[in-house]
Amino acid sequence: MQTEPFRDVQEFDDGYLEITWAKRRKILDDKEEFYPDDALVVRDALIWLFRTRNIADPDDMEYEDLSVMLGRYPIVSQEEDLFGLVTEERLIALMTKIDTLLQEEVHEVSFYADDFHGKGTAFGETFNMHELTAAHRTFPHDTLVRVTNLENHQSVVVRINDRGPYIDGRDMDLSFAAFRQIADHSRGVIHARFERLGNKNLAGLCGDGETRYQKRITKAYRFHRGVPHTFPLGQTLALRANKWFVIRSIIYPDGMIENVQDWVPPEDFFSITPSMKGEYRFRFSTPFRHSREMRMNVIDCPKAQN
């Protein structure tokens, strides 16, 4: 019987949770084997980056669509060898480029209200025009997005709970309440920028969702609470385990690598207070050098959500 997510990726392997998450969201291909020891090439790295950013429907982000996506987001040159190997530094550089382009991208935004109030959304919810929600064609359900009106620089944080809009050139439909926070409803359409803040259900801190933690370094070495998938900016994360563990290194969202090499006994803890948004990558190990990487997305959590 096939192992979830792949036959050659076991539950206690490095990256198991991340690989499972990626396959379930169609970021990784639906194959039976992952080949974790194979080198990463540019073509695969680009496809995975585009899929993680939800720039299009998953069916429109296959290898044959790569030239179209690179035309829209030229993060590599046309002369780039797509089958060349990707180093960790190169991958971080590609991530930075695509995220910069996405932050600078201008979107056309409108709203929907009375005609849809009380009706069902694509995700089985009941649309309420008075809540701070939005419809987007590809962002996952419950994604939190900060939408900023480029004309007046007013912003609102919304939760994705519907699909759409289905008008050419339109990128998002806000609820009536959300649109009114950043523009007069008589405008009808505005130009805005998007900033994805994370997933409401994974965060468990921007709403009533359940927080998920990465607890195991190995089967025998466990954190009492663990590393959350999502964590609020400026708060302190304290990690304590049932046995001695080692925090080997931390890779920060800006690509800086800190070689910590800090040994932590069971009666003590390791703490960190994130000062920048983005993905943090921790490398933990046991005294016997069994290691595991855990990732944490730090977000600027809004004070209130609907």
Side-chain angles (χ1 to χ4, degrees):
M1 184 175 179
Q2 182 176 334
T3 302
E4 172 70 30
F6 297 95
R7 289 185 305 200
D8 53 354
V9 179
Q10 306 303 315
E11 182 178 359
F12 301 111
D13 289 344
D14 288 348
Y16 173 83
L17 290 177
E18 292 80 2
I19 293 169
T20 303
W21 182 92
K23 186 177 182 183
R24 288 175 178 172
R25 286 157 181 79
K26 299 182 179 180
I27 295 169
L28 298 176
D29 292 328
D30 191 20
K31 298 177 180 177
E32 293 186 356
E33 294 189 348
F34 181 66
Y35 305 106
D37 296 324
D38 284 4
L40 180 64
V41 299
V42 174
R43 185 187 70 160
D44 289 337
L46 291 172
I47 287 291
W48 296 345
L49 282 176
F50 286 135
R51 288 176 179 172
T52 58
R53 271 60 181 177
N54 295 97
I55 67 166
D57 187 273
D59 292 337
D60 296 327
M61 290 190 285
E62 302 294 341
Y63 291 118
E64 58 267 26
D65 304 307
L66 193 54
S67 61
V68 175
M69 290 184 284
L70 288 174
R72 182 178 175 186
Y73 303 102
I75 60 175
V76 298
S77 67
Q78 294 182 350
E79 293 76 28
E80 180 95 23
D81 179 9
L82 295 183
F83 293 94
L85 299 184
V86 177
T87 63
E88 183 173 324
E89 292 75 15
R90 176 63 170 148
L91 184 59
I92 292 173
L94 290 173
M95 292 170 62
T96 302
K97 281 187 176 181
I98 184 63
D99 289 340
T100 299
L101 289 175
L102 289 173
Q103 289 173 5
E104 295 174 349
E105 192 172 31
V106 176
H107 303 275
E108 189 174 277
V109 176
S110 187
F111 69 93
Y112 60 144
D114 303 82
D115 290 345
F116 297 90
H117 184 68
K119 296 182 179 179
T121 73
F123 296 108
E125 298 185 23
T126 300
F127 174 64
N128 185 337
M129 59 185 279
H130 304 297
E131 293 182 348
L132 302 182
T133 58
H136 191 274
R137 282 189 288 272
T138 61
F139 285 168
H141 183 214
D142 277 338
T143 299
L144 298 175
V145 183
R146 177 178 285 115
V147 181
T148 301
N149 184 342
L150 294 181
E151 183 175 312
N152 58 19
H153 304 292
Q154 297 294 310
S155 64
V156 62
V157 175
V158 294
R159 179 176 63 87
I160 301 299
N161 75 336
D162 201 1
R163 285 289 180 236
Y166 299 104
I167 298 175
D168 288 344
R170 193 77 48 83
D171 297 304
M172 180 180 284
D173 273 343
L174 299 176
S175 66
F176 181 71
F179 192 88
R180 285 192 62 184
Q181 286 204 12
I182 60 174
D184 189 291
H185 70 278
S186 63
R187 291 293 305 275
V189 177
I190 61 171
H191 290 95
R193 286 199 171 100
F194 298 160
E195 180 186 2
R196 288 176 59 181
L197 302 177
N199 182 281
K200 171 182 177 291
N201 285 338
L202 290 183
L205 45 89
C206 293
D208 55 2
E210 179 183 358
T211 303
R212 292 174 52 197
Y213 294 93
Q214 302 159 84
K215 296 184 177 182
R216 295 181 177 180
I217 301 175
T218 67
K219 189 173 183 179
Y221 288 75
R222 298 172 59 94
F223 290 119
H224 293 304
R225 175 164 289 184
V227 177
H229 287 273
T230 312
F231 195 72
L233 183 71
Q235 293 195 23
T236 299
L237 173 69
L239 297 172
R240 176 177 287 153
N242 62 336
K243 298 182 180 182
W244 279 84
F245 73 95
V246 187
I247 168 69
R248 296 289 183 189
S249 63
I250 304 172
I251 301 178
Y252 292 85
D254 60 359
M256 187 188 79
I257 301 175
E258 179 183 0
N259 291 312
V260 183
Q261 304 298 331
D262 193 0
W263 290 68
V264 184
E267 65 273 12
D268 202 354
F269 61 88
F270 171 82
S271 66
I272 180 174
T273 304
S275 59
M276 67 179 75
K277 294 184 293 183
E279 184 181 69
Y280 287 69
R281 295 165 58 187
F282 302 93
R283 172 64 63 175
F284 300 104
S285 73
T286 71
F288 304 101
R289 304 195 69 82
H290 297 103
S291 65
R292 180 179 175 188
E293 181 181 279
M294 298 183 185
R295 303 188 181 198
M296 179 176 76
N297 185 35
V298 172
I299 65 174
D300 188 3
C301 189
K303 293 181 179 179
Q305 294 298 325
N306 288 307

